[in-house]
Amino acid sequence: MVVPASRILDFSEAPIVDIAALVDGDPKGTQAVVREIAQACEHVGFLYVRNHRVDTTVLAALVDQAHAFFGLPTADKMSVAVENSPQFRGYLPLEYTGNEGPEGRNLQEGFIVMQDRPLDSRVPLYGPNQWPARLPSLKPAMLGYYAAMEALAFRMLPGMAMALGLPASSFAAPYVDPMLILKLNHYPPQQITSDTEMIGVGGHCDGSGFTILWQDDLGGLEIKNKSGEWIGVPPIDGTFVINIGNILQRWSNGRFSSTEHRVINRYGRERYSVPFFANPSYDAVLAPLPQLVDDAHPAQFGPYPVGEQMLSFYRNLWPSAGKNAGKSAA
């Protein structure tokens, strides 16, 4: 998959945007929120959102279950490994590497779910989730949070459309049957031996439309600016971090930026985070929006078949997915 180059932006921090008016449907207040979203997406590619109306008890339940899941014996976690799932659902063990080789080693373990769907040969990413038999309480906690994030994503979509000067409904059709992905991340304590050693996750841009991230109180998320500085995006109580992914950068003809970021666990403690990747429908084919293309701003990207590109991306990232399908019980 050809990944569009990110614009290197000049910023010193990620802004905080109060989105209460947007999620509550206040037309007058929404105008100011949209202006702030536009500034953040164009000039940073990251923003915090507060007053998002996500139930704190839903989040707390998920965090408790994330701790419980990653505390399970290795055999229980491996019983639901991604290697069992051709649809890329399940557990990713610590230091898992894809086709990029050892240099892509992440000091992180994860657990992935998407929407439960029946198997469909026409859509290779459709299929069931895996759930650990040892921890039945994980499923309702993850599905409850998944629903809360889906609702927040669909509140953000009109705001992002309006931030591009478009009607609020402009993003609705490509998201009619979205490919939404929820992932739990666990970073064990690491001893840093040099300033350049990769700890956590190395620099990358998300392949999503956009990402909604919860991070614990430890910190470690950093974004790269025009000067080559890594700027911290520390946890702020009551907020989520939202960042633009490669899909929305393409769709906006480069107006919104998918900014490089990384995670460095410098603190000698366990770190947890929960990203939610908001992707369009599998069969959506996106190109730069015609309203954002003119003589001064020619189209930077060609048509982008979302499902095909997502499948190629995940096959490259997790090449062992599904290799044990049918060999062991999920």
Side-chain angles (χ1 to χ4, degrees), residues 90-132:
Y91 174 64
L92 291 167
L94 187 66
E95 300 188 12
Y96 188 94
T97 59
N99 284 335
E100 68 273 27
E103 64 272 17
R105 179 172 61 96
N106 291 328
L107 300 180
Q108 171 209 78
E109 57 181 338
F111 183 74
I112 300 167
V113 301
M114 306 183 201
Q115 184 177 354
D116 263 311
R117 304 175 186 265
L119 292 171
D120 187 335
S121 61
R122 298 167 300 172
V123 187
L125 289 173
Y126 281 14
N129 290 315
Q130 300 188 86
W131 301 103

Side-chain angles (χ1 to χ4, degrees), residues 52-231:
H52 43 69
R53 308 306 194 224
V54 173
D55 188 342
T56 56
T57 61
V58 173
L59 172 59
L62 179 71
V63 173
D64 286 345
Q65 291 304 303
H67 284 250
F69 174 75
F70 290 117
L72 289 174
T74 298
D76 289 300
K77 292 184 287 189
M78 290 303 295
S79 72
V80 291
V82 166
E83 292 179 352
N84 302 332
S85 172
Q87 294 80 36
F88 307 98
R89 291 154 160 83
Y91 174 64
L92 291 167
L94 187 66
E95 300 188 12
Y96 188 94
T97 59
N99 284 335
E100 68 273 27
E103 64 272 17
R105 179 172 61 96
N106 291 328
L107 300 180
Q108 171 209 78
E109 57 181 338
F111 183 74
I112 300 167
V113 301
M114 306 183 201
Q115 184 177 354
D116 263 311
R117 304 175 186 265
L119 292 171
D120 187 335
S121 61
R122 298 167 300 172
V123 187
L125 289 173
Y126 281 14
N129 290 315
Q130 300 188 86
W131 301 103
R134 185 81 171 267
L135 190 65
S137 51
L138 179 65
K139 180 176 180 179
M142 288 197 78
L143 294 185
Y145 187 81
Y146 187 105
M149 289 296 99
E150 182 175 17
L152 178 56
F154 275 88
R155 292 184 181 110
M156 290 301 302
L157 278 171
M160 289 182 173
M162 289 186 286
L164 289 166
L166 305 172
S169 61
S170 297
F171 292 169
Y175 272 87
V176 70
D177 186 20
M179 302 292 295
L180 308 176
I181 302 171
L182 175 60
K183 184 169 182 270
L184 308 180
N185 289 330
H186 173 232
Y187 301 82
Q190 300 293 328
Q191 180 180 0
I192 296 182
T193 57
S194 74
D195 290 337
T196 58
E197 183 179 355
M198 192 279 292
I199 302 294
V201 174
H204 67 285
C205 296
D206 288 352
S208 57
F210 61 96
T211 304
I212 305 173
L213 175 74
W214 173 85
Q215 52 180 338
D216 68 11
D217 61 359
L218 191 61
L221 175 63
E222 300 176 353
I223 55 180
K224 193 174 186 178
N225 71 6
K226 186 176 183 178
S227 301
E229 295 178 288
W230 287 100
I231 306 298

Side-chain angles (χ1 to χ4, degrees), residues 3-15 38-47 201-211 221-233 241-250 252 254-263 277:
V3 178
S6 293
R7 290 188 297 131
I8 303 177
L9 306 174
D10 190 12
F11 57 83
S12 59
E13 62 183 4
Q39 281 287 110
C41 293
E42 292 180 22
H43 299 291
V44 185
F46 273 74
L47 65 152
V201 174
H204 67 285
C205 296
D206 288 352
S208 57
F210 61 96
T211 304
L221 175 63
E222 300 176 353
I223 55 180
K224 193 174 186 178
N225 71 6
K226 186 176 183 178
S227 301
E229 295 178 288
W230 287 100
I231 306 298
V233 186
V241 174
I242 294 181
N243 66 278
I244 300 303
N246 292 336
I247 291 176
L248 194 47
Q249 178 174 266
R250 285 177 171 270
S252 68
R255 179 104 151 256
F256 285 179
S257 180
S258 177
T259 299
E260 185 177 0
H261 53 286
R262 69 182 185 183
V263 174
F277 304 100

